[in-house]
Amino acid sequence: MYRAAIEELDVFLSTHPNITTFQLLLCDSGGVLRGKHLRREEMRALYEHGRALPSSLMGLTLRGEDVEETGLVWDVGDADGIAFPVTGSLRLVPWLTDTAQVQVMLDTEQGGFGRHADPRALLMDVIAELQSDGLHPVMAGELEFYLLEEDEDGRVLPARLTNGRRPQDPGVYGIDELEGAMPFLDALYSACEVQGVPARTAISEYGCGQLEITLEHRSCALQAMDETMLYKRLIKAVAAQQGLIACFMAKPFAGLVGNGFHLHISLADEKGNNLFASDEPEGTPLLRHSIAGLQASLADSMALFCPNANSYRRFQSHSYAPVAPTWGVNNRTVAFRVPLGPPFSRHVEHRICGADANPYLAAAAVLAGMHLGIRQRLDAGPAIVGNGYAQAGQAMSLDWHSALERLAESEWARNMLGARFLDIFLAVKRAEYRQFMGEVGQQDYDWYLHRA
């Protein structure tokens, strides 16, 4: 049962008598956290009876606009559904004064929507399907982001380091680059400790001002994605406190590498033993069936892994972003990588998602794809050795509109997501597509003003 007990609130209130404001956080299909601020005296009612939230909240574009085609606005009179707090999600907000936060989930079908519209609930259902076959997913999220700032002309540029210099070179794995970002990193690790987010290794990535901080693997895949979602919010908030911008766009700069969201996955038995563990670097047959399922379901899942127009700018040859459904061992030129490590650590690194993906939807599609391969005992084919870009073969669909249409036609996706969720998601993304394509920006003038 996901709903938190009232005793959890009582302990928190007695431990933190100074907290006066509580943020309710609910993740929509676009990966945006929405909700309300409640006062301290309202919290007991939340835990006992839930809190009404409007149905239209789950049918908004990234910019927060209603999408009537979802059926969640006028068709249901913008009715409310009821949300309840999630067990273990009540925690302090270290970047705000006297404030805490709690995740909530939709519980009933009141107002024409409910559990079927909640991405977190969808992931719960996919995990339950795996567990019914004795498979327990172990996961970790790995997000790349750029640390940026605006100059006096409003241009967004890599943030200056503590030495006053702005990064001009990739500086990949550079210690100087990490030292130059220490005020941000120190504040980030401190905030992570307060919120119980398991931030670990930090590296300077391949882009100027690009960072990556790994999260610990969790035996509960739902917990891992909760922490990924909260971690992303935390990074943005800590950066904003320092006058910076933490950018998770998939491709913020044309001439630099994009931001990926890599998912690390293994499957365990009921005792926690890794079912992918093997002395062979290529892992067990179960691991290879899982990869084959990821290959088979990739085209149907691209709109979930890469949900925005900007997502598809990231995929370029020799950019560390994959361009084909290939797999390999210790190879960063493929989509599905089996990293080096001791036998007990054998797992798959899924390298397709952009950092703009909704973690719950991405994880659900990955796990459902792996389950497909296992149940049908699919064959992944031989592992790629060497340059995967030169051996790409069948390319992935790298067009936003095509990805949305492929998702709409997919029976596998409809079964995995549920027909109602899929209809809502597609309605929102098609509305965003129309809006995006209808805008006239600077690139149009650069290309066509004097040439058309």
Side-chain angles (χ1 to χ4, degrees):
M1 185 64 178
Y2 80 87
R3 283 173 54 177
I6 190 69
E7 289 77 14
E8 185 176 321
L9 174 66
D10 290 337
V11 171
F12 188 90
L13 293 178
S14 63
T15 306
H16 304 286
N18 61 305
I19 299 300
T20 57
T21 301
F22 291 80
Q23 299 178 325
L24 271 60
L25 306 178
L26 176 65
C27 180
D28 71 8
S29 63
V32 177
L33 289 171
R34 305 189 188 275
K36 297 182 176 182
H37 279 200
L38 269 58
R39 303 301 290 172
R40 184 183 181 95
E41 56 270 21
E42 297 179 280
M43 289 301 290
R44 180 165 290 275
L46 168 69
Y47 277 72
E48 291 179 343
H49 309 296
R51 186 77 181 199
L53 291 172
S55 61
S56 53
L57 183 149
M58 298 302 281
L60 301 175
T61 67
L62 286 175
R63 300 165 75 175
E65 300 157 319
D66 285 333
V67 178
E68 294 182 29
E69 291 85 352
T70 62
L72 300 178
V73 191
W74 313 126
D75 291 355
V76 295
D78 198 10
D80 286 335
I82 305 298
F84 285 89
V86 171
T87 298
S89 67
L90 186 55
R91 60 195 74 194
L92 296 173
V93 180
W95 57 88
L96 296 175
T97 303
D98 299 335
T99 303
Q101 68 184 38
V102 62
Q103 285 178 269
V104 296
M105 281 183 64
L106 299 168
D107 185 71
T108 72
E109 296 299 322
Q110 297 181 38
F113 83 111
R115 201 170 187 274
H116 62 261
D118 192 326
R120 190 176 188 273
L122 170 65
L123 178 56
M124 290 174 62
D125 291 343
V126 171
I127 292 171
E129 281 288 312
L130 278 161
Q131 290 175 337
S132 69
D133 284 348
L135 304 170
H136 300 264
V138 177
M139 297 190 75
E142 185 180 279
L143 282 164
E144 298 166 340
F145 63 97
Y146 278 87
L147 199 59
L148 308 175
E149 62 186 357
E150 288 185 305
D151 68 7
E152 56 276 9
D153 297 321
R155 295 178 302 172
V156 178
L157 301 167
R160 293 184 185 275
L161 303 177
T162 53
N163 62 10
R165 296 174 57 192
R166 200 181 302 281
Q168 301 292 324
D169 304 306
V172 63
Y173 281 81
I175 297 300
D176 290 344
E177 283 75 9
L178 288 178
E179 289 182 359
M182 282 307 293
F184 167 77
L185 291 173
D186 286 343
L188 176 63
Y189 278 117
S190 176
C192 284
E193 286 189 20
V194 171
Q195 292 211 323
V197 175
R200 297 295 181 256
T201 305
I203 65 169
S204 172
E205 263 291 352
Y206 201 75
C208 301
Q210 189 184 38
L211 298 171
E212 177 188 280
I213 300 152
T214 61
L215 294 173
E216 189 174 304
H217 282 72
R218 294 300 199 188
S219 58
C220 173
L222 186 64
Q223 178 186 3
M225 293 304 102
D226 282 340
E227 290 172 347
T228 300
M229 195 78 227
L230 297 178
Y231 173 61
K232 189 173 180 180
R233 176 175 186 256
L234 188 154
I235 290 174
K236 290 181 178 180
V238 170
Q241 269 196 322
Q242 300 188 8
L244 305 174
I245 302 167
C247 174
F248 291 89
M249 286 176 61
K251 187 72 170 178
F253 300 107
L256 299 175
V257 295
N259 288 321
F261 169 39
H262 299 166
L263 287 160
H264 294 256
I265 321 104
S266 59
L267 297 175
D269 62 18
E270 293 182 357
K271 296 181 179 179
N273 299 307
N274 184 4
L275 297 173
F276 289 170
S278 172
D279 292 327
E280 297 297 323
E282 294 186 359
T284 60
L286 188 74
L287 183 151
R288 295 191 292 276
H289 290 322
S290 298
I291 291 176
L294 293 174
Q295 292 172 325
S297 59
L298 176 56
D300 293 359
S301 306
M302 279 299 291
L304 304 174
F305 299 149
C306 306
N308 305 307
N310 180 260
S311 307
Y312 296 86
R313 300 188 189 280
R314 174 172 156 262
F315 296 104
Q316 299 174 14
S317 184
H318 301 90
S319 67
Y320 291 104
V323 295
T326 49
W327 78 283
V329 177
N330 191 25
N331 191 331
R332 288 186 172 87
T333 68
V334 298
F336 313 113
R337 172 179 176 249
V338 180
L340 285 183
F344 69 83
S345 71
R346 201 74 67 227
H347 70 277
V348 178
E349 179 188 14
H350 183 280
R351 298 173 56 81
I352 295 168
C353 300
D356 55 343
N358 181 327
Y360 298 117
L361 294 185
V366 166
L367 294 177
M370 295 173 74
H371 206 184
L372 171 71
I374 292 167
R375 283 182 164 174
Q376 296 188 6
R377 302 181 66 83
L378 299 179
D379 180 12
I384 291 289
V385 178
N387 185 352
Y389 293 110
Q391 306 172 60
Q394 179 185 359
M396 301 186 307
S397 174
L398 301 177
D399 167 67
W400 190 23
H401 182 267
S402 297
L404 289 173
E405 294 312 304
R406 177 64 182 255
L407 177 64
E409 296 167 0
S410 171
E411 284 301 316
W412 171 82
R414 190 163 293 274
N415 291 333
M416 186 266 291
L417 295 170
R420 189 72 183 101
F421 186 100
L422 182 59
D423 289 343
I424 292 170
F425 180 84
L426 287 170
V428 170
K429 287 301 168 183
R430 283 167 169 162
E432 290 179 358
Y433 178 85
R434 291 192 299 269
Q435 291 175 10
F436 190 89
M437 295 304 293
E439 292 186 9
V440 177
Q442 186 59 46
Q443 182 171 319
D444 292 77
Y445 294 112
D446 292 341
W447 276 63
Y448 306 120
L449 179 62
H450 298 294
R451 298 181 179 91

